[in-house]
Amino acid sequence: MFPVNQSVLGVRHDSTQISASAVDLSRTISGIASVAVTACGIVVLVGWIFNIEVLTKPYLSPVSMKANTAIAFVLTGISLWLIQTDRATSRTRFISKSFALTAALTGFLTLLEYIFSFDIGIDQALINDIPNPVMTSSPGRMSPVTAVEFLLLGTALFMIDTELHRRIRPSQLLAIAALVIGILSVFGYVYSINSWLRLSQKLTAIASHTSIAFVAAATGILLARPDKGIMIFFVKDSPGSAIARRLFAAMALSPLLVETVLTFGWQSGFYDRPQMEAFQTIIVTIIVTSIFLRSALSINNSDDKRRQAEEERESVARFPAENPNPVIRICIGLSVLYTNKAAKPLLGYLGFQDKGDGLTADKDTWLQLITDVLDSGQVKTVEMPVNDRLFRFSVAPIPNHNYVNLYGYDISEAKAAQSALDYERNKMQNILDSMQDCIVLVRCDLMVEYANNAAIRDFGQFETRKCYTYLNGAAERCQWCEINKVFLGEIIRREFISHLSGKTYDVIETPITNLDGSISRLGIFRDITKRKDMENRLRLFSQAIEETIDCVHIVNMEGKIIYTNKAAAQMTGYSTEESIGMDVVKLVADKYFAVNVIIPSIYVKGVWEGEILCEKKDGAQYMGWLAASIVNNSDGKPVAMIGTLRDITLRKEIEEACRAAEANMTALMNAITESVCLIDINGKFITANDTFARRFSTDKQKNVSDIIGTNFRDLLTPDVFEAKKGHLDEVISMGLPVTFENIRGESTCLTNMYPVFDSEHNVRGIAIYASDITLRKKYENYLLQSIKEKEMLMREIHHRVKNNLQIVAGLIGLQLNYITDETYKAMFNETRNRIKSIALVHDKLYGSKGLADVDFKKYILSLSNDLFSSFGVDRGSVTLNLSIENVIIGVDIAVPCGLIVNELFTNILKYAFPDKIIGKIDISIDAKENGKFEMVISDNGVGFPEDVDFRHTKSLGLHIVNILVRQISGTIELDRTHGTKFIIQFESQSK
């Protein structure tokens, strides 16, 4: 046995090839047909939905396409579109077959309706047909010819990929049958043959555009698989197939098109019937002649090509004899038919004898090889050792013959060179794969053509990826892609941070010249992420030391300064240049302490920390806090000392100031005669003054120092502590001060608790201030008792004044009984009412909580009731509306206002409603923003006389009103628009 390489060179066993252009054209036409059929169905559906007759029944068509026919066309067109090979998937095939089966089922059910004369409800299931349609057996029902067509086309689409014995495809046979029926229907319209449009006068006829759509659908199905079944004849790359393609389309379509056009002209009256037949004969003759002439020209061209090919074959036939490489022809019977000069020495090694004698060795192997080549029609290659050489033989089939040609090539040197090259390549590959650095080779078009294992580990697989995507995960070219220096022959070194791996690389890019002269970019990526991280850390540490506010010195073991930061220069006054090499002891004021204490301690203990008196360059001294330690190398040997020095002069001053402030605060607190203390939120004393210690001391705790640190509960009894614990919790939880009184024996104490906040406004303690208010409480009780006594006295005064005024009013009322003159009687009655209004004020003051203010609303209500009663007014005929807020006014304002209301109210009752007419009285008092009150008294009666000036009148009542308004520093206005309205404004307190 020997190795066989399956090298396909495109040679077929049969003598013809498939024309790729014919196949593509056929499939394109099929796709166009599917779109046309779908569009036809959609347009007709639109016509039915929107009642557009020209869409359902076009020009010259006596019958319309039914709605169910249009739906079936949409399903058929979509099914044909989805089944196209360039878009067919398992999902689309399923949808296509479902649509095809639905269309076929529609046709089948319609045929059943015709055969058995019943209606199953599919004719007008979605859209109703017009009443009494032309040439229609049942409204909405498609023609039986249409039903047969859908049954054929739907079944053809459903079985489009089914193939029977001898490559027969049922779908193509069904499509041909549908095509014939469709063409007959079209010819029926062209030649007016009604029997081809409807099988019977009682059945539905097929529409003209329905016939055309069936022709398009059947053609699309036939051309959907042009390289399968019987359609393969039309797409072969042979003269016969080419002529068939041209003649079939032209001969099938030209008579129909010519007849259709000429018939339209004849029906339109452009010419008569004999002229039409003459034109038809002439045009068809011209078309047929043109087609045959073109076909003859095509055959001549094919014949010229054939003769040229034969000449080339004769030239090729002479080539084997002159070929320096071995050429052998072997038939299926394993006989050698031909050998050239170079092949004869090899026959014995191959197991062959001279020609005609056949094979003597490895018969089964050679027979299997030659049979496979002839059956497959493909060239195969075998490699065989011949003596001490190695040959590669190409076994090529001869079309339409039962023999093969063997073309041999001596590949011994090539194999040896290839082995050496493979060895070197493997060695180089092992070297590159073992490197820790990433190696990436990029072509000039930025495609990655090689990456070693390290690169694959960091960036992933590189096949078919651009360098910017592979190395950085970017979608667009980066800035390094724009630099062409490497492709121009320069070497570049740069740092690169990959967003993909997150690492930092030191990159060296070198140009590599390829065999074709192009330049690739070889990049060596060394991972320096850890080094960069260490450098960044050292830089941060150095920057932190340099920018710190503390003085930092590094001193060698001889005590000489080898490093100093900026803060050291500012603190000591020595510049960095002056400090380097200087003895560190020079910076210390007490040099004996530095030499004999600090430095030995660092040597022995490794560290020293404490306060130290330092000296600046100008001799000024300052207090510093030094923290020094030893620095060892990797062997543990001390190599230097490092010290940080902080100037604590200000801190020492602040500490001293704090101590002084604390002493002053203690003295101030002790000088206060009240009890003061500060506790934390747990009740522990922080500080207190002497007064607090004396007031709350126990036998064990007599001084402030004894109280500090103890708990608040230790100074109180359990019941007292529980009473005050609620106040403590309230201050802590609410953050608000609390004030309360507590009694201890005969003493009363006022305690104030204030929250103490920290910087975040959280309560961190409670300040307590307690004062003895026993004496103040005694004075307060005395004053309260005195006020109560005075209130009782004032109430008694108001009560007696009211009684006296009522007595006077009663006397006047008794006198009225003895007065017969009505004028005097009215004057006395008005006087009595005025006295009553004043008495009513004192009555309200007597009944109020306060003794100086009057609830004016209640006062007006009582006054109006008295006046209504005094004048005997029927409350059913005159109504009173009060719009008075809760107005409280003083007694000095209440009396004049009461008299004003009394006078104006009296005038209304006397003059506004003569003859007992029905009316209403409105009284309102509103508080204004400027601190004044506005009182309005109005009625809807006969109105105030136009010729009377209320400010200058002989009427005593109005004269009193003007006087009282001036008394309360007010103003009065009269509005005669609707009845009578007096508007009085006055201040809340009299001046």
Side-chain angles (χ1 to χ4, degrees):
M1 294 295 291
F2 40 81
V4 178
N5 295 329
Q6 307 292 334
S7 175
V8 179
L9 300 181
V11 180
R12 296 179 59 87
H13 183 62
D14 55 1
S15 59
T16 57
Q17 302 285 335
I18 298 296
S19 174
S21 60
V23 172
D24 292 340
L25 178 61
S26 300
R27 290 174 177 168
T28 301
I29 295 174
S30 178
I32 294 173
S34 67
V35 174
V37 171
T38 305
C40 177
I42 293 174
V43 168
V44 173
L45 279 177
V46 171
W48 278 110
I49 293 172
F50 296 101
N51 197 21
I52 305 174
E53 184 178 3
V54 71
L55 298 181
T56 61
K57 186 172 69 174
Y59 181 66
L60 297 179
S61 179
V63 64
S64 62
M65 182 190 295
K66 305 305 179 185
N68 52 2
T69 302
I71 295 173
F73 271 131
V74 173
L75 296 176
T76 303
I78 295 175
S79 176
L80 180 57
W81 171 263
L82 293 176
I83 208 63
Q84 302 295 320
T85 55
D86 57 348
R87 66 178 65 87
T89 62
S90 59
R91 181 189 179 104
T92 57
R93 287 192 183 93
F94 175 77
I95 298 174
S96 173
K97 289 187 176 183
S98 299
F99 284 2
L101 191 60
T102 303
L105 185 60
T106 302
F108 178 72
L109 293 176
T110 304
L111 286 177
L112 291 180
E113 288 182 326
Y114 279 112
I115 294 172
F116 297 103
S117 300
F118 64 89
D119 187 358
I120 62 176
I122 66 172
D123 299 331
Q124 300 185 91
L126 299 177
I127 299 175
N128 293 328
D129 199 353
I130 61 176
N132 302 318
V134 179
M135 300 177 70
T136 303
S137 62
S138 178
R141 182 172 299 176
M142 66 176 67
S143 168
V145 177
T146 303
V148 172
E149 287 279 61
F150 279 128
L151 180 59
L152 293 174
L153 294 178
T155 307
L157 285 170
F158 186 79
M159 302 176 62
I160 195 165
D161 290 319
T162 303
E163 189 170 280
L164 303 179
H165 184 60
R166 295 183 180 180
R167 300 183 180 178
I168 296 176
R169 295 214 165 198
S171 61
Q172 294 177 346
L173 300 179
L174 294 172
I176 291 172
L179 179 62
V180 171
I181 296 173
I183 292 174
L184 289 176
S185 300
V186 173
F187 274 103
Y189 271 101
V190 174
Y191 295 102
S192 301
I193 306 174
N194 291 332
S195 60
W196 290 6
L197 305 179
R198 54 198 303 193
L199 301 178
S200 172
Q201 294 297 323
K202 297 181 180 181
L203 301 179
T204 303
I206 185 172
S208 59
H209 47 321
T210 305
S211 303
I212 296 172
F214 279 134
V215 172
T219 304
I221 294 173
L222 286 172
L223 297 180
R225 301 289 187 269
D227 54 346
K228 306 293 183 182
I230 60 177
M231 293 302 296
I232 196 172
F233 169 74
F234 293 95
V235 295
K236 286 185 177 181
D237 192 10
S238 63
S241 296
I243 293 172
R245 288 195 294 271
R246 295 171 185 169
L247 292 178
F248 182 82
M251 297 299 292
L253 296 177
S254 59
L256 177 61
L257 294 176
V258 170
E259 178 69 23
T260 302
V261 173
L262 293 177
T263 301
F264 178 78
W266 168 64
Q267 293 176 348
S268 301
F270 294 113
Y271 38 79
D272 56 16
R273 182 83 180 180
Q275 288 177 329
M276 183 191 76
E277 293 176 353
F279 287 150
Q280 180 177 0
T281 303
I282 293 170
I283 294 172
V284 171
T285 301
I286 292 172
I287 293 174
V288 172
T289 303
S290 300
I291 294 172
F292 274 107
L293 288 176
R294 185 178 178 185
S295 299
L297 181 61
S298 176
I299 291 172
N300 288 336
N301 292 335
S302 299
D303 190 56
D304 292 340
K305 292 180 180 178
R306 181 182 58 79
R307 284 197 299 271
Q308 184 179 359
E310 288 177 354
E311 292 174 358
E312 292 178 355
R313 183 164 36 176
E314 290 178 0
S315 175
V316 172
R318 294 193 299 271
F319 170 73
E322 301 170 358
N323 194 345
N325 293 315
V327 178
I328 305 172
R329 176 169 292 177
I330 306 173
C331 69
I332 191 67
L334 301 180
S335 296
V336 178
L337 303 180
Y338 170 83
T339 59
N340 67 349
K341 184 178 179 180
K344 288 183 179 181
L346 306 179
L347 291 177
Y349 294 103
L350 295 175
F352 292 97
Q353 293 182 354
D354 202 353
K355 79 174 162 181
D357 292 335
L359 184 69
T360 59
D362 290 334
K363 290 184 178 181
D364 294 337
T365 301
W366 279 106
L367 181 61
Q368 183 64 41
L369 175 61
I370 295 172
T371 303
D372 290 345
V373 170
L374 291 175
D375 288 344
S376 64
Q378 298 175 350
V379 177
K380 297 181 183 292
T381 60
V382 296
E383 293 181 2
M384 299 181 61
V386 179
N387 198 2
D388 57 348
R389 312 295 291 176
L390 181 64
F391 279 79
R392 176 184 290 124
F393 288 94
S394 296
V395 184
I398 306 302
N400 298 327
H401 296 81
N402 290 327
Y403 55 81
V404 296
N405 285 348
L406 274 67
Y407 303 98
Y409 307 92
D410 188 349
I411 60 172
S412 302
E413 286 78 7
K415 273 291 186 180
Q418 184 65 40
S419 298
L421 182 62
D422 290 342
Y423 172 76
E424 294 298 330
R425 181 185 291 111
N426 292 334
K427 182 170 69 174
M428 181 60 67
Q429 183 69 45
N430 292 333
I431 292 173
L432 293 176
D433 287 341
S434 63
M435 293 179 65
Q436 296 300 313
D437 295 337
C438 300
I439 309 296
V440 179
L441 189 63
V442 181
R443 297 201 307 256
C444 58
D445 61 354
L446 304 183
M447 291 296 296
V448 179
E449 57 179 318
Y450 172 77
N452 68 344
N453 287 341
I456 293 174
R457 181 183 63 247
D458 281 5
F459 306 112
Q461 296 298 327
F462 63 89
E463 287 79 1
T464 66
R465 299 179 70 183
K466 296 283 188 179
C467 62
Y468 49 82
T469 303
Y470 179 63
L471 299 173
N472 211 24
E476 299 179 353
R477 294 161 64 101
C478 62
Q479 59 176 345
W480 295 105
C481 299
E482 306 296 336
I483 299 176
N484 295 322
K485 292 182 179 180
V486 178
F487 293 118
L488 296 177
E490 295 186 24
I491 298 176
I492 294 179
R493 185 168 186 172
R494 61 186 175 93
E495 283 189 4
F496 167 67
I497 300 176
S498 172
H499 297 292
L500 193 64
S501 65
K503 296 181 179 180
T504 303
Y505 299 90
D506 180 18
V507 184
I508 298 177
E509 293 185 313
T510 305
I512 300 295
T513 303
N514 301 314
L515 294 177
D516 58 359
S518 63
I519 295 180
S520 296
R521 186 167 63 188
L522 177 65
I524 303 174
F525 295 73
R526 175 159 295 176
D527 186 357
I528 58 171
T529 305
K530 293 182 178 179
R531 190 188 79 187
K532 294 296 291 185
D533 184 55
M534 186 63 67
E535 290 176 355
N536 292 333
R537 290 186 181 182
L538 291 175
R539 184 169 60 253
L540 290 174
F541 292 155
S542 176
Q543 184 177 0
I545 293 174
E546 191 66 24
E547 299 297 332
T548 184
I549 61 173
D550 293 336
C551 169
V552 179
H553 286 99
I554 299 178
V555 183
N556 61 20
M557 300 308 294
E558 289 75 29
K560 304 297 181 182
I561 298 175
I562 59 176
Y563 170 80
T564 181
N565 67 346
K566 289 191 298 185
Q570 297 173 356
M571 189 179 300
T572 63
Y574 292 99
S575 65
T576 302
E577 292 76 12
E578 292 174 331
S579 297
I580 300 300
M582 187 175 70
D583 195 332
V584 71
V585 178
K586 192 174 180 180
L587 302 176
V588 183
D590 190 352
K591 294 177 176 50
Y592 178 84
F593 183 75
V595 173
N596 295 283
V597 177
I598 299 177
I599 294 177
S601 177
I602 296 174
Y603 283 157
V604 174
K605 299 180 179 179
V607 294
W608 188 89
E609 185 174 4
E611 294 182 359
I612 182 173
L613 185 62
C614 301
E615 187 176 69
K616 295 185 178 181
K617 180 180 179 181
D618 58 3
Q621 295 183 347
Y622 62 95
M623 184 63 69
W625 182 271
L626 175 65
S629 61
I630 201 78
V631 179
N632 298 322
N633 61 11
S634 58
D635 298 330
K637 181 180 178 181
V639 294
M641 293 175 287
I642 183 170
T644 59
L645 179 66
R646 176 172 294 178
D647 187 349
I648 62 172
T649 304
L650 180 61
R651 191 185 77 183
K652 299 292 287 185
E653 293 175 355
I654 292 174
E655 289 176 354
E656 185 63 30
C658 289
R659 283 193 292 270
E662 185 178 358
N664 294 334
M665 182 61 68
T666 301
L668 180 62
M669 290 177 60
N670 291 331
I672 297 174
T673 59
E674 308 300 340
S675 301
V676 180
C677 70
L678 179 65
I679 62 175
D680 61 16
I681 59 175
N682 296 317
K684 185 179 292 186
F685 283 98
I686 300 174
T687 185
N689 65 349
D690 291 340
T691 304
F692 184 89
R694 288 193 303 272
R695 182 171 295 171
F696 295 96
S697 63
T698 62
D699 294 339
K700 297 181 180 180
Q701 299 159 335
K702 296 182 179 180
N703 300 319
V704 172
S705 58
D706 297 330
I707 295 176
I708 294 175
T710 61
N711 200 282
F712 190 69
R713 69 168 66 234
D714 297 336
L715 301 180
L716 304 173
T717 60
D719 56 338
V720 175
F721 174 76
E722 290 298 328
K724 294 187 177 182
K725 184 176 182 301
H727 299 303
L728 294 173
D729 294 339
E730 182 179 355
V731 174
I732 295 172
S733 61
M734 302 298 292
L736 298 174
V738 173
T739 302
F740 59 92
E741 294 180 2
N742 59 319
I743 300 174
R744 299 184 62 184
E746 297 180 354
S747 300
T748 302
C749 183
L750 178 65
T751 303
N752 297 278
M753 294 184 177
Y754 301 94
V756 180
F757 300 98
D758 58 14
S759 59
E760 297 180 357
H761 204 70
N762 297 319
V763 178
R764 67 175 183 84
I766 302 172
I768 301 175
Y769 178 86
S771 57
D772 189 349
I773 60 171
T774 304
L775 184 60
R776 191 184 78 182
K777 294 296 290 185
K778 290 181 179 179
Y779 280 116
E780 286 179 357
N781 293 333
Y782 173 77
L783 290 175
L784 289 174
Q785 183 64 30
S786 176
I787 289 171
K788 289 181 179 179
E789 292 174 355
K790 287 181 172 57
E791 284 182 353
M792 293 178 62
L793 179 61
M794 289 298 295
R795 290 184 187 279
E796 184 61 28
I797 292 173
H798 284 301
H799 182 62
R800 293 194 178 188
V801 169
K802 180 202 71 168
N803 290 340
N804 292 335
L805 290 174
Q806 286 180 344
I807 291 171
V808 173
L811 292 174
I812 294 174
L814 292 174
Q815 188 64 43
L816 284 174
N817 296 329
Y818 298 97
I819 298 175
T820 59
D821 191 339
E822 292 298 326
T823 301
Y824 291 108
K825 192 173 184 177
M827 292 172 61
F828 274 89
N829 189 40
E830 291 176 2
T831 302
R832 185 180 65 173
N833 288 338
R834 294 185 182 105
I835 294 172
K836 283 184 177 182
S837 68
I838 298 172
L840 185 61
V841 172
H842 289 281
D843 182 54
K844 295 300 180 185
L845 287 172
Y846 174 74
S848 65
K849 293 182 179 179
L851 297 175
D853 296 326
V854 177
D855 187 343
F856 207 63
K857 183 175 182 179
K858 294 181 179 179
Y859 172 72
I860 295 297
L861 187 60
S862 299
L863 179 61
S864 61
N865 290 331
D866 289 343
L867 291 175
F868 273 122
S869 176
S870 174
F871 284 92
V873 176
D874 183 9
R875 296 297 296 269
S877 61
V878 179
T879 58
L880 174 65
N881 296 324
L882 295 179
S883 177
I884 302 175
E885 298 178 355
N886 294 326
V887 177
I888 306 298
I889 58 178
V891 64
D892 55 343
I893 300 295
V895 172
C897 286
L899 290 174
I900 291 171
V901 172
N902 178 79
E903 296 301 328
L904 295 178
F905 202 95
T906 299
N907 282 347
I908 292 172
L909 294 178
K910 289 171 62 178
Y911 305 113
F913 309 110
D915 300 327
K916 297 183 180 182
I917 64 175
I918 297 174
K920 67 175 181 176
I921 302 173
D922 295 315
I923 301 177
S924 65
I925 300 180
D926 295 323
K928 299 299 180 181
E929 295 180 355
N930 54 5
K932 292 185 176 183
F933 287 102
E934 182 180 81
M935 181 169 62
V936 179
I937 302 173
S938 63
D939 65 80
N940 61 347
V942 297
F944 199 86
E946 294 289 342
D947 57 347
V948 177
D949 183 4
F950 77 94
R951 300 182 190 275
H952 304 90
T953 179
K954 296 179 179 180
S955 171
L956 178 61
L958 291 176
H959 185 64
I960 293 173
V961 169
N962 284 297
I963 293 173
L964 293 174
V965 169
R966 287 194 297 272
Q967 179 181 336
I968 61 176
S969 301
T971 61
I972 181 170
E973 300 293 338
L974 174 61
D975 183 5
R976 295 184 174 94
T977 304
H978 300 289
T980 302
K981 178 190 289 186
F982 282 96
I983 303 171
I984 303 167
Q985 289 189 351
F986 57 92
E987 295 182 357
S988 59
Q989 298 293 332
S990 64
K991 293 183 181 180

